């Protein structure tokens, strides 16, 4: 998928591409988020109070950081299914090596981020050099990480994160949660990186048309490998922070992140086929889906119905997007 | 691609399975009829769901909702079949058809990307499964177990897998099957040659949904009960079985025999570790390695040759093929 060339496949002349969608999707999502906050406030007074909104943002930030990588990979036309067990694996490595001491944070975090980076590089290598489709490559790496994590832990993860990281994941700076500040910084870096740097423009170009990008002198393979490497790093960072937030690492802790990151990236209007979109919309989508889930929980809706509503909301959102854009986007 | 390579594309999975099978036989120093039966019975639900995935992948789609559809089908069967046998059989099949229609209409008519549509319907069917049957339970009378082909005679299990291959092979020989593969091979060309693209796609998703429902019914019969989460492990495993079976996700090529072999390969790795006295923790590493080996060996050889010929700078780096 990553290396197919849409421009070469579609030979018929096309209507000019409409650009208003990327802006429309996040605005729609933010409007729906405001509506949900209103409903939440009705169900539980104080839900939309600034304090609580900040807590909700903190809750969203873990998914948000994992979604940075997914966004960047999907901008190249790829997908990263391996983040589930990269998150779990790096969290397990982090807590085991940190064992609750601040002094161990640096080496443990370096080991954990190195693991994420390594998996990302292998994913990128497989997708570019071996030309394996991203779904298969990252699915296989996910399996390998799953097994490796089980072998490494012997089935029971151990240790805990140092108090410093725990303060970052759960504490406040003034009245703003530290995680929200971190997420804002990472968001700024990502948005500026994708929009305004040469690397970001190459990323969009590779997703839009690999051939044109190649002819303009870009080393496509290097761009794609970098995208998967960033995804691996983002997943490892999520694992470290989420294990500190939860108090410990546990097996399967990363599973809840994979499909929501993909759904959020697509909800934000980023094309499955690469080239269009950015991280700003993903932030809105992450916040929207987190609040949706929270509202359903406080409305004491049973889990089965929550799952149906979540799926229906994602389906409705992409149908609305399709009707808004009316662009023939069947290229695969 | 030359004809010779096409033939090899079909025999690869059989070869991989044969090697793994021989290793198990060697480790266990024998292979009883019981082992054969349990291997086939364990692989059968995955084979059915993977065949459903196969039909959809042939048309260049993907369906992540097949596992949860299987859960719902099995749950409905386990809840109803004791009192209303007709509902217990027809209900799950209708559920499979409905699931396929919903996915197929979204993909074929609205032209939404399959992976995200089925991601959404996956969540919906997981929710429905929890509503239908909040906890594992229900009952399927033991008499139905004869139908699953595993429990009366050892070779019925093998026969079941052979029947799956034959039926799926027959479907591919119909006009629908031809159009399906034409569609996966080159959609614009298929459209120009008169294939009704959206109808064939819809058909692929419906057939996939029905096969997934049959897989769920098989699970319900084999375990005499239903479970709301039993299908979740098949969501990505069915994709893996299809790919290991030699079917590219870009569609158009592949055989039912390969897919059934893919299911058998993913099932036999469990026995392999058990008889080799290795922790089952290693199973997913081996599954992942097999997956990569199957899809990556050809291109890895090209890559190594490029490296050897041109030093560390292969000239076509990044060039789209």
């Amino acid at each position: 998928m990553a290396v197919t060339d849409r421009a070469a496949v579609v030979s018929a002349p096309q209507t000019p591409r409409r650009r208003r969608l990327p802006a429309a999707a996040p605005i729609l999502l933010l409007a729906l988020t405001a509506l949900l906050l209103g409903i939440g406030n009705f169900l539980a007074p104080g839900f939309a109070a600034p304090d609580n909104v900040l807590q909700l943002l903190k809750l969203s930030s873990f998914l948000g950081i994992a979604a940075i990588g997914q966004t960047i990979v999907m901008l190249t036309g790829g997908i990263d299914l391996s983040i589930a067990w990269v998150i779990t694996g790096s969290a397990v490595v982090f807590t085991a090596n940190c064992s609750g001491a601040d002094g161990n944070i640096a080496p443990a975090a370096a080991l954990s981020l190195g693991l994420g980076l390594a998996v990302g590089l292998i994913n990128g290598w497989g997708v570019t050099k071996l030309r394996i489709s991203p779904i298969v490559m990252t699915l296989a790496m996910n399996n390998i990480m799953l097994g490796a994590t089980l072998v490494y832990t012997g089935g029971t993860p151990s240790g805990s994160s140092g108090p410093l990281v725990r303060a970052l994941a759960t504490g406040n700076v003034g009245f703003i949660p530290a995680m929200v500040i971190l997420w804002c910084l990472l968001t700024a870096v990502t948005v500026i990186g994708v929009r305004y740097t040469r690397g970001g423009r190459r990323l969009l170009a590779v997703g839009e048309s690999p051939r044109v990008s190649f002819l303009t002198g870009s080393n496509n393979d290097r761009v794609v490998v970098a995208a998967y490497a960033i995804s691996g790093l983002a997943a490892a960072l999520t694992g470290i922070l989420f294990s500190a937030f939860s108090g410990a690492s546990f097996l399967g802790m990363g599973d809840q992140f994979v499909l929501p990151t993909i759904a959020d990236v697509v909800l934000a209007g980023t094309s499955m086929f690469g080239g269009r979109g950015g991280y700003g919309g993903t932030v809105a989508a992450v916040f929207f889906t987190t609040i949706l889930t929270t509202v359903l929980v406080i409305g004491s809706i049973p889990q089965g119905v929550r799952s149906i509503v979540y799926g229906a909301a994602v389906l409705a959102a992409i149908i609305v997007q399709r009707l808004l854009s009316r662009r023939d986007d069947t290229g695969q | 691609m030359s004809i010779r390579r096409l033939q090899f594309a079909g025999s690869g999975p059989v070869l991989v399975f044969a090697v793994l099978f021989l290793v198990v036989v060697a480790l266990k120093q024998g292979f009883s009829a019981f082992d054969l039966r349990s291997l086939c019975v364990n692989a059968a639900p995955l084979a059915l769901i993977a065949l459903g995935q196969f039909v959809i992948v042939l048309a260049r789609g993907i369906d992540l909702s097949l596992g949860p559809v299987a859960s719902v089908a099995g749950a409905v069967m386990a809840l109803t079949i004791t009192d209303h046998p007709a509902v217990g059989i027809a209900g799950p099949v209708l559920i499979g058809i409905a699931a396929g229609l919903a996915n197929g209409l979204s993909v074929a008519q609205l032209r939404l990307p399959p992976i995200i549509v089925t991601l959404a319907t996956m969540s919906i069917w997981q929710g429905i499964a929890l509503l239908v049957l909040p906890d594992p339970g229900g009952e399927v009378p033991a008499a139905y177990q004869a139908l699953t082909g595993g429990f009366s005679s050892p070779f019925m299990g093998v026969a079941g897998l052979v029947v799956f291959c034959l039926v799926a092979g027959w479907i591919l020989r119909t006009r629908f099957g031809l159009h399906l593969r034409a569609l996966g091979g080159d959609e614009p060309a298929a459209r120009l040659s008169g294939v009704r693209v959206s109808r064939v796609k819809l058909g692929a998703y419906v057939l996939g949904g029905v096969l997934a429902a049959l897989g769920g019914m098989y699970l319900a019969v084999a375990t005499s009960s239903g479970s709301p989460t039993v299908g979740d492990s098949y969501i990505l495993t069915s994709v893996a079985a299809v790919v290991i079976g030699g079917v590219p996700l870009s569609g158009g090529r592949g055989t039912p025999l390969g897919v059934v072999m893919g299911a058998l390969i993913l099932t036999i790795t469990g026995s392999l570790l058990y008889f080799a006295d290795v922790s089952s923790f290693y199973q997913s590493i081996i599954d992942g390695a097999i997956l990569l080996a199957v899809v990556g060996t050809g291109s890895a050889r090209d890559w190594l040759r490029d490296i050897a010929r041109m030093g560390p700078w292969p000239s076509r780096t990044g060039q789209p093929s």
Side-chain angles (χ1 to χ4, degrees):
Chain A
M1 215 153 37
V3 273
T4 52
D5 190 340
R6 197 189 306 149
V9 171
V10 180
S11 51
Q14 279 197 308
T15 50
R17 204 161 277 173
R18 301 185 185 201
R19 285 282 170 186
R20 66 194 159 96
L21 177 66
I27 291 170
L28 184 72
L29 285 171
L30 287 176
L32 286 173
T33 309
L35 181 71
L36 279 174
L37 280 173
I39 297 173
N41 206 37
F42 175 74
L43 290 170
F47 186 76
D51 267 8
N52 196 50
V53 171
L54 283 173
Q55 289 306 309
L56 288 168
L57 275 171
K58 179 167 97 180
L59 215 57
S60 317
S61 61
F62 303 99
L63 181 58
I65 292 172
I68 291 177
Q70 195 69 266
T71 306
I72 289 178
V73 166
M74 286 176 75
L75 282 175
T76 69
I79 197 165
D80 193 349
L81 300 176
S82 70
I83 66 169
W85 284 86
V86 173
I87 288 175
T88 310
S90 53
V92 160
V93 167
F94 178 69
T95 55
N97 288 290
C98 199
S99 19
D102 270 344
N104 296 335
I105 287 177
L111 209 58
S112 170
L113 291 171
L115 179 69
L117 181 66
V119 174
L121 289 173
I122 295 173
N123 278 332
W125 173 74
V127 168
T128 55
K129 301 294 184 210
L130 301 187
R131 296 165 197 243
I132 299 174
S133 83
I135 295 180
V136 176
M137 185 66 212
T138 56
L139 180 61
M141 283 310 289
N142 189 50
N143 270 334
I144 291 173
M145 280 301 290
L146 192 171
T149 307
L150 288 175
V151 172
Y152 179 76
T153 58
T156 38
S158 64
S160 61
S161 87
L164 218 58
V165 180
R166 191 154 170 70
L168 174 65
T170 58
N172 287 1
V173 177
F175 61 95
I176 303 175
M179 275 304 291
V180 175
I181 298 173
L182 178 65
W183 190 25
C184 285
L185 288 175
L186 289 173
T187 300
V189 169
T190 312
V191 169
I192 293 171
V194 170
R195 281 277 156 242
Y196 301 106
T197 65
R198 188 191 296 182
R201 278 195 291 268
R202 292 216 156 143
L203 187 75
L204 294 171
V206 168
E208 183 70 41
S209 168
R211 179 154 304 174
V212 173
S213 166
F214 178 73
L215 292 176
T216 56
S218 151
N219 186 335
N220 287 358
D221 284 1
R222 207 173 284 171
V223 174
V224 172
V225 170
Y228 284 94
I230 291 172
S231 184
L233 276 177
L237 184 61
T238 309
I240 293 172
L241 292 167
F242 195 61
S243 65
F245 177 76
S246 327
S249 58
F250 52 97
L251 296 178
M253 64 189 278
D255 289 349
Q256 54 180 315
F257 287 96
V258 190
L259 300 176
T261 55
I262 298 168
D264 287 336
V265 171
V266 174
L267 277 180
T270 298
S271 165
M272 289 293 293
F273 312 112
R276 285 183 308 140
Y279 183 63
T282 310
V283 172
V286 166
F287 193 44
F288 166 71
T289 46
T290 307
I291 291 193
L292 176 65
T293 317
T294 317
V295 167
L296 293 174
V297 170
I298 60 168
S300 39
I301 308 285
Q303 201 203 334
V305 182
R306 289 210 299 272
S307 185
I308 295 173
V309 171
Y310 183 84
V314 171
L315 200 56
I318 50 167
I319 289 174
V320 167
Q321 275 181 30
R322 162 66 71 224
L323 298 179
L324 279 178
S325 71
R326 311 184 79 190
R327 186 177 145 242
D328 193 355
D329 194 3
T330 50
Q332 300 208 4
Chain B
M1 173 177 289
S2 71
I3 291 178
R4 234 179 88 207
R5 263 190 83 180
L6 262 179
Q7 285 169 341
F8 274 112
S11 59
V14 180
L15 214 64
V16 173
F17 175 70
V19 169
L20 289 174
F21 185 80
L22 288 177
V23 172
V24 169
V25 171
L27 284 170
K28 201 178 171 259
Q29 289 162 2
F31 203 76
S32 67
F34 175 80
D35 297 330
L36 190 65
R37 187 182 71 182
S38 56
L39 174 68
C40 290
V41 171
N42 286 335
L46 177 58
L48 276 170
I49 298 172
L51 282 171
Q53 190 73 263
F54 165 61
V55 175
I56 293 163
V57 167
L58 264 189
R60 229 181 239 214
I62 192 166
D63 194 339
L64 301 178
S65 70
L66 293 181
V69 168
S71 306
V72 175
V76 168
M77 185 182 191
L79 284 178
T80 54
I81 198 154
T82 311
D83 299 329
H84 311 282
V87 177
I89 302 287
V93 174
L94 288 175
I95 285 168
I97 293 174
L101 278 176
N103 289 330
L105 285 173
S106 309
V107 171
Q109 301 294 333
L110 297 173
R111 299 183 176 185
L112 298 170
I115 193 166
I116 188 75
V117 166
T118 56
L119 191 63
T121 52
M122 174 195 90
S123 181
I124 293 175
W125 287 105
Q126 278 173 334
I128 292 175
L130 283 172
L131 291 183
V132 171
L133 190 69
D135 299 300
E139 200 190 1
V140 179
Y144 289 95
Q145 291 191 349
L147 291 175
T148 65
F151 296 84
S152 48
S153 140
F155 292 97
M156 285 289 280
V158 182
L161 292 181
V162 171
V163 167
F164 299 164
C165 281
L166 290 178
V167 170
W170 171 75
I171 289 170
L172 291 184
R173 291 203 174 273
T174 61
R175 191 197 303 196
F176 167 73
L178 181 67
H179 287 180
L180 197 63
R181 286 200 266 193
L183 181 59
D186 188 341
E187 184 169 332
R191 193 189 300 272
L192 291 175
S193 357
V195 175
R196 298 183 180 198
V197 168
S198 48
R199 201 179 289 188
V200 175
K201 270 191 187 167
L202 185 61
Y205 281 91
V206 170
L207 190 57
V210 170
L211 284 166
L214 290 178
M217 291 165 78
Y218 194 105
L219 277 169
V221 171
T223 60
S224 304
S225 67
S227 155
T229 52
V230 69
D232 288 356
S233 59
Y234 294 96
I235 295 171
L236 293 175
T237 322
S238 61
V239 179
V242 164
V243 174
I244 289 177
V247 186
L249 287 187
S250 51
R253 288 186 288 131
T255 61
L257 177 65
V259 174
V260 170
M261 285 299 149
L264 280 169
I265 289 169
L266 285 174
T267 312
I268 205 174
T269 50
S271 338
L272 186 73
L273 292 173
Y274 179 77
F275 293 125
D277 203 19
V278 175
S279 155
S280 65
F281 291 163
Y282 287 91
Q283 183 175 358
S284 38
I285 299 185
I286 291 183
D287 289 350
I290 291 176
L291 192 55
L292 285 186
V294 165
V295 292
T297 29
S299 38
R301 208 165 32 223
D302 292 349
W303 181 69
L304 286 173
R305 200 179 48 213
D306 280 1
I307 296 280
R309 193 180 296 160
M310 316 191 191
W313 303 283
S315 67
R316 48 175 197 159
T317 186
Q319 185 169 24
S321 50

